[in-house]
Amino acid sequence: MASQRFARPIFDNPFLKIQELSGNTVKRNSESLKQANCDPKGTSLVVTRDVDLDTTKNTWLRLYVSRRLTKNPTPKKLPLIMYYHGGGFVYFHANTFIFDVFCQALAERVGAMVISVEYRLAPEHRLPAAYDDAMDGLEWLKSTKDEWVCNYADLSKVFLGGTSSGGNLAYNAGLRAAAMAKELEPIKIKGLILHHPFFSGKNRTESEERQKDDQLLPLHAVDKMFDLCLPKGVDHDHEYCNPCANGGSKHLDDMKELGWKVFVSGACEDPLVDAARGCVRLMEEKGIKVFKFFRDGYHAMEVFDQSMAAALYDAAKDFVNAASRT
């Protein structure tokens, strides 16, 4: 029986009852989770605005900027975080309330402009569709004349980050971006922020065995979501699932040469924490500087419970500031 020292969030958890439907789709009970509208002129600490990315794919971006910055006649440009939400590549959206609140806090607490990408979901759009959408977002950023980006974002200090499957997305989009860094200029990516990344593999890790009956993210749900999002016919040692398979991607060498830094966070009661640690070891063996933030807790806890998030924001701020100086 898995240890459950930390109470899990109470909500209509889609991971516990994944139901496939005809037409290559799933029943998305998670749609009952509250969604947040953008707030370009509201009174909150962070203002938000939505921008189309690719209308043919129904992808779009939500931009987050501290209200204080918009009131400054000579605003200082900030590092920019391209953020990817979680949900096993199957559930949730950029405007899902918990991720919207998380991105607002990132912008305010880390001191960055944040752009959250609405990417296509599986099984309707299996990987690498989400990775393609992330690259579309970088191409948009490279050439946009958007007023907020031009006024508030320092494109020489860009980070790719995400939670859970969004962490997986940030890592794999990062590998692509590292291989084409010159083509993405004037964007200069400084590193990755992997928040409880969604990695696994064919062979069970100790944390997967120990937490296989986790109340939030049981192992059967992890396996099922990878079955739904990976290309058909591949196993869970595919590179999209297991970053350590076959010695890891050759593009990790590109990351090292570019001097990227990587922030990886994890929680002791997360079934996937050992897979995250494995990815850390792989990157360190390749000579990449990794900032580690592992502590007690459960998968993606800072998204579900903001009262547990302060230490993460502080650590991420330190990382962004340190990586931006290099």
Side-chain angles (χ1 to χ4, degrees):
M1 180 68 180
S3 169
Q4 303 281 330
R5 293 194 298 118
F6 290 82
R8 302 313 193 247
I10 299 173
F11 72 112
D12 186 15
N13 186 348
F15 310 140
L16 301 182
K17 45 190 174 183
I18 299 171
Q19 182 180 350
E20 293 184 75
L21 303 175
S22 60
N24 192 38
T25 188
V26 295
K27 184 177 181 180
R28 289 192 168 92
N29 294 321
S30 60
E31 300 295 354
S32 64
L33 278 178
K34 184 178 175 184
Q35 295 187 346
N37 295 322
C38 63
D39 185 21
K41 297 181 179 180
T43 58
S44 59
L45 293 175
V46 175
V47 291
T48 61
R49 182 163 56 84
D50 293 345
V51 177
D52 286 337
L53 180 56
D54 187 332
T55 55
T56 67
K57 300 176 182 176
N58 292 321
T59 56
W60 48 271
L61 309 168
R62 176 159 291 184
L63 283 57
Y64 297 80
V65 177
S66 169
R67 174 172 293 281
R68 290 193 301 264
L69 204 63
T70 65
K71 299 299 181 181
N72 189 332
T74 56
K76 175 185 175 182
K77 291 191 175 184
L78 299 177
L80 185 145
I81 300 172
M82 296 293 288
Y83 179 82
Y84 313 106
H85 67 81
F89 292 111
V90 176
Y91 299 102
F92 306 142
H93 298 281
N95 62 355
T96 298
F97 183 76
I98 53 175
F99 291 108
D100 182 73
V101 170
F102 187 73
C103 286
Q104 289 188 47
L106 277 180
E108 180 66 15
R109 296 291 300 274
V110 175
M113 181 175 178
V114 176
I115 299 180
S116 183
V117 180
E118 172 69 2
Y119 56 86
R120 289 171 293 171
L121 298 178
E124 297 91 339
H125 305 282
R126 290 175 176 265
L127 296 175
Y131 305 155
D132 295 341
D133 297 341
M135 297 310 296
D136 287 349
L138 291 177
E139 290 290 347
W140 175 89
L141 183 63
K142 166 185 171 180
S143 58
T144 186
K145 303 300 181 186
D146 181 86
E147 181 182 5
W148 283 13
V149 173
C150 292
N151 290 343
Y152 308 129
D154 184 343
L155 296 189
S156 71
K157 299 174 182 177
V158 173
F159 296 83
L160 310 185
T163 299
S164 190
S165 57
N168 174 312
L169 202 167
Y171 179 81
N172 281 285
L175 293 172
R176 290 192 187 186
M180 55 180 293
K182 284 288 185 184
E183 298 170 51
L184 289 174
E185 291 179 353
I187 295 172
K188 186 174 181 181
I189 296 172
K190 289 291 189 176
L192 309 179
I193 301 172
L194 311 183
H195 177 224
H196 300 198
F198 188 64
F199 296 134
S200 187
K202 284 175 62 177
N203 297 325
R204 293 304 182 206
T205 65
E206 290 185 13
S207 64
E208 286 177 332
E209 291 286 6
R210 185 173 62 248
Q211 300 293 143
K212 63 183 179 181
D213 297 320
D214 186 79
Q215 293 174 3
L216 174 67
L217 189 65
L219 197 54
H220 69 83
V222 172
D223 289 343
K224 186 62 175 179
M225 286 188 286
F226 272 119
D227 288 342
L228 290 170
C229 74
L230 288 172
K232 288 185 177 180
V234 306
D235 63 29
H236 290 193
D237 273 343
H238 190 277
E239 60 184 324
Y240 297 164
C241 179
N242 182 356
C244 301
N246 301 314
S249 171
K250 64 182 181 180
H251 297 308
L252 289 171
D253 293 331
D254 296 323
M255 284 190 189
K256 178 191 174 184
E257 290 302 314
L258 291 164
W260 289 14
K261 311 294 189 298
V262 182
F263 177 90
V264 182
S265 64
C268 66
E269 291 186 12
D270 182 355
L272 306 183
V273 68
D274 283 350
R277 290 191 175 109
C279 186
V280 167
R281 287 192 297 271
L282 172 68
M283 290 187 289
E284 289 180 331
E285 289 167 2
K286 298 288 187 178
I288 297 169
K289 175 65 176 177
V290 181
F291 293 68
K292 299 178 282 289
F293 183 74
F294 288 80
R295 61 171 180 160
D296 289 345
Y298 58 87
H299 186 74
M301 62 188 185
E302 294 93 350
V303 168
F304 290 105
D305 187 348
Q306 284 291 303
S307 72
M308 305 176 76
L312 173 70
Y313 298 140
D314 290 345
K317 180 177 182 178
D318 291 344
F319 165 74
V320 167
N321 289 339
S324 294
R325 288 194 292 267
T326 59

